[in-house]
Amino acid sequence: MKYTPLPSALYVKNRAKLAAKMAKNSVAVLNSNDIMPTNADGTMRFRQNNDLFYLSGIDQEESILLIAPDCPNPSMREVLFLRETNEHIAIWEGHKYTKEEAQEASGIENIQWLANFDQVFNTVMALSERIYLNTNEHLRAGVVVETRDARFIKTCKERFPLHEYERLAPIMHELRGAKEQAEINQLQIACDITEKGFRRILNFVKPGVTEFEIEAEYLHEFVRNRSKGFAYEPIIASGASACVLHYIENNKACQDGDLLLMDVGAEYGNYNADMTRTIPVSGRFSERQKAVYNAVLRVQKQAMNMLRPGVTIQDYHKEVGLIMQSELIGLGLIDMTDVKNQDPNWPAYKKYFMHGTSHHLGLDVHDVGTMHGPITPGMVFTVEPGIYIREEGIGIRLENNIVIQKDGYFDLMRNIPIEADEIEEIMNS
């Protein structure tokens, strides 16, 4: 791994939080992600299951975590199963965790090879009444690939049909929603790497440069700072492409007079940054571009001040919509007649601002966490309003990542230039 791992104390604490939520005489089992195929004998880069990583810090394929807080045998209350390495694996794939390294990384004393899983699991299940199994229950998930967890659910129910089965996902969503300081520190590093990439391209962008060249500049800066690369497929959208919310072709040349919308973020240690900035290709905003830009920036600043403990995301989105409505009226894009005649289910402002303002951020870019309950300290959110005027070829979105605190918020992207004048100054320095 390129990154510096977090201390095992974090994972010890995370497992204790999970154990406190589990019913008496129960066991939880979590599986690592698969290594996904491409074509022929090719594979994608491995990405660990975030729930298993959150509870163990183990960043390796073919791993299983077993947690049974009430097991009469203390040595079986936490067991981590790993793929046993050998000389052939070491030659062809490289180093894998030793038992001692896994103990140090996770804080788990009982490390076993995968070959011992069935024997240990049978014993623990005989002493347990119920089992918590993991599934992907993200609200936006389109589950089309069968995971190791899904396969395990099938075999587990066949082997143990009379146990009580529980969903682990709701507990994990609750726990992962509010971050520990160590996690916030990792997110800060991801944001700082993202800042380096953005500052790099401010001195690189000019008319004629292609979107994919800009993408390459970001990737260079990210990887040289120990990131695996982009946290998600980057959006490098110039001109009218900035009005396509999920534009990822990144294949056009940037033209003089156009705006360039860049939705990018670096990954670090499996934690993700999520930044959007919009800059003028020529180094100077036109009067109209700056007016729209500053309207988006005002909405973002007000939205960040509205995210507070006790607020619900649903109510927050409605209030941000009213702020955006006012800005769009000021820009002459809608008027009070439009507002009066609007469909309550699709307000007039949605013509120019059609997506949500914030989502959870962490191990997932769209991280798990409550979408209907109250916000609590330690949650991390994006704040990303935008205005998209297709008839004018103007698309502007601005996005920062903030940590909710008891009496306000902390901006993880506070050092990344965002004021229009500062961006112009840097681009023309």
Side-chain angles (χ1 to χ4, degrees):
M1 61 188 69
K2 299 185 181 80
Y3 63 90
T4 300
L6 291 173
S8 62
L10 170 68
Y11 307 112
V12 172
K13 185 174 184 178
N14 287 348
R15 291 194 298 275
K17 289 191 289 187
L18 172 60
K21 296 283 185 180
M22 293 169 61
K24 189 173 178 58
N25 295 326
S26 61
V27 56
V29 178
L30 299 95
N31 287 269
S32 63
N33 280 340
D34 285 314
I35 296 179
M36 301 302 294
T38 53
N39 293 287
D41 62 346
T43 61
M44 298 181 188
R45 175 182 288 175
F46 175 69
R47 179 64 162 84
Q48 184 57 287
N49 178 284
N50 284 332
D51 290 325
L52 187 146
F53 185 80
Y54 174 84
L55 294 169
S56 70
I58 294 299
D59 204 353
Q60 185 171 289
E61 73 282 1
E62 296 184 45
S63 305
I64 302 177
L65 176 62
L66 182 151
I67 300 175
D70 301 316
C71 185
N73 184 344
S75 69
M76 293 187 178
R77 291 174 185 169
E78 293 183 346
V79 190
L80 177 64
F81 299 88
L82 298 175
R83 177 188 185 190
E84 184 174 7
T85 191
N86 55 43
E87 184 177 0
H88 177 81
I89 292 172
I91 290 172
W92 284 89
E93 299 180 29
H95 180 74
K96 303 295 179 182
Y97 285 106
T98 65
K99 289 185 177 182
E100 293 74 22
E101 289 168 343
Q103 286 175 344
E104 183 177 357
S106 66
I108 296 172
E109 292 297 324
N110 191 355
I111 311 294
Q112 302 272 346
W113 299 130
L114 271 177
N116 295 332
F117 175 76
D118 283 346
Q119 179 183 348
V120 174
F121 185 52
N122 287 345
T123 300
V124 173
M125 284 294 276
L127 299 170
S128 303
E129 298 175 9
R130 59 182 55 82
I131 179 168
Y132 288 85
L133 297 177
N134 210 22
T135 52
N136 181 3
E137 298 184 22
H138 193 288
L139 294 177
R140 301 186 184 186
V143 180
V144 294
V145 175
E146 189 175 53
T147 64
R148 293 178 75 87
D149 274 328
R151 296 196 297 273
F152 182 75
I153 290 171
K154 288 182 180 178
T155 60
C156 189
K157 287 188 172 181
E158 289 174 358
R159 289 170 58 192
F160 303 100
L162 300 183
H163 279 70
E164 294 182 29
Y165 285 82
E166 302 284 351
R167 295 159 55 217
L168 185 60
I171 300 177
M172 296 306 300
H173 288 202
E174 179 184 352
L175 297 181
R176 283 176 51 192
K179 274 62 178 176
E180 296 289 339
Q181 186 58 49
E183 296 180 276
I184 293 170
N185 294 344
Q186 212 78 328
L187 285 166
Q188 182 66 76
I189 295 174
C191 290
D192 291 344
I193 295 172
T194 304
E195 176 190 355
K196 291 177 180 179
F198 180 60
R199 289 185 181 276
R200 180 186 180 101
I201 67 92
L202 284 178
N203 294 312
F204 177 79
V205 170
K206 60 183 178 182
V209 166
T210 60
E211 295 164 350
F212 55 82
E213 288 178 291
I214 296 167
E215 180 179 347
E217 292 295 308
Y218 273 111
L219 183 59
H220 178 96
E221 196 65 27
F222 289 178
V223 174
R224 73 191 292 264
N225 282 281
R226 295 183 174 272
S227 166
K228 281 188 285 192
F230 292 106
Y232 50 93
E233 280 296 311
I235 297 170
I236 314 289
S238 62
S241 297
C243 295
V244 181
L245 298 184
H246 289 162
Y247 171 84
I248 57 173
E249 283 80 4
N250 303 347
N251 61 2
K252 297 181 176 64
C254 299
Q255 303 298 326
D256 189 15
D258 280 349
L259 292 173
L260 174 66
L261 187 156
M262 299 169 292
D263 190 334
V264 301
E267 171 277 349
Y268 184 79
N270 292 340
Y271 286 84
N272 303 289
D274 189 357
M275 177 200 75
T276 308
R277 290 293 186 270
T278 307
I279 66 174
V281 171
S282 64
R284 300 286 182 189
F285 292 98
S286 71
E287 184 177 346
R288 175 62 167 173
Q289 289 170 346
K290 185 172 284 190
V292 178
Y293 186 98
N294 286 331
V296 175
L297 185 55
R298 285 192 294 271
V299 174
Q300 189 202 45
K301 289 178 178 178
Q302 291 181 71
M304 287 194 287
N305 284 319
M306 292 164 58
L307 280 172
R308 291 288 186 276
V311 172
T312 68
I313 284 292
Q314 304 305 321
D315 289 342
Y316 158 80
H317 279 147
K318 293 176 183 177
E319 292 300 315
V320 174
L322 295 177
I323 297 170
M324 181 61 79
Q325 173 183 288
S326 177
E327 292 290 351
L328 293 177
I329 290 173
L331 291 168
L333 292 169
I334 62 174
D335 57 30
M336 289 308 299
T337 300
D338 296 319
V339 174
K340 181 180 178 181
N341 297 328
Q342 69 186 2
D343 178 351
N345 296 317
W346 191 256
Y349 75 81
K350 288 282 190 179
K351 179 179 179 181
Y352 298 100
F353 176 42
M354 60 291 293
H355 59 78
T357 309
S358 295
H359 59 75
H360 288 273
L361 183 71
L363 286 167
D364 285 302
V365 176
H366 291 160
D367 208 13
V368 296
T370 178
M371 292 303 294
H372 296 279
I375 293 170
T376 60
M379 290 183 173
V380 180
F381 288 99
T382 64
V383 184
E384 49 181 310
I387 294 177
Y388 312 91
I389 315 172
R390 282 172 289 177
E391 58 269 29
E392 298 180 35
I394 292 176
I396 297 173
R397 181 165 66 251
L398 299 173
E399 178 180 18
N400 282 28
N401 306 155
I402 67 171
V403 183
I404 305 301
Q405 299 179 322
K406 290 181 180 179
D407 54 357
Y409 68 88
F410 181 77
D411 188 354
L412 295 169
M413 294 185 165
R414 62 202 175 280
N415 296 323
I416 303 180
I418 195 168
E419 296 288 341
D421 292 343
E422 183 181 8
I423 287 173
E424 289 181 333
E425 180 181 353
I426 295 173
M427 293 187 73
N428 291 280
S429 61

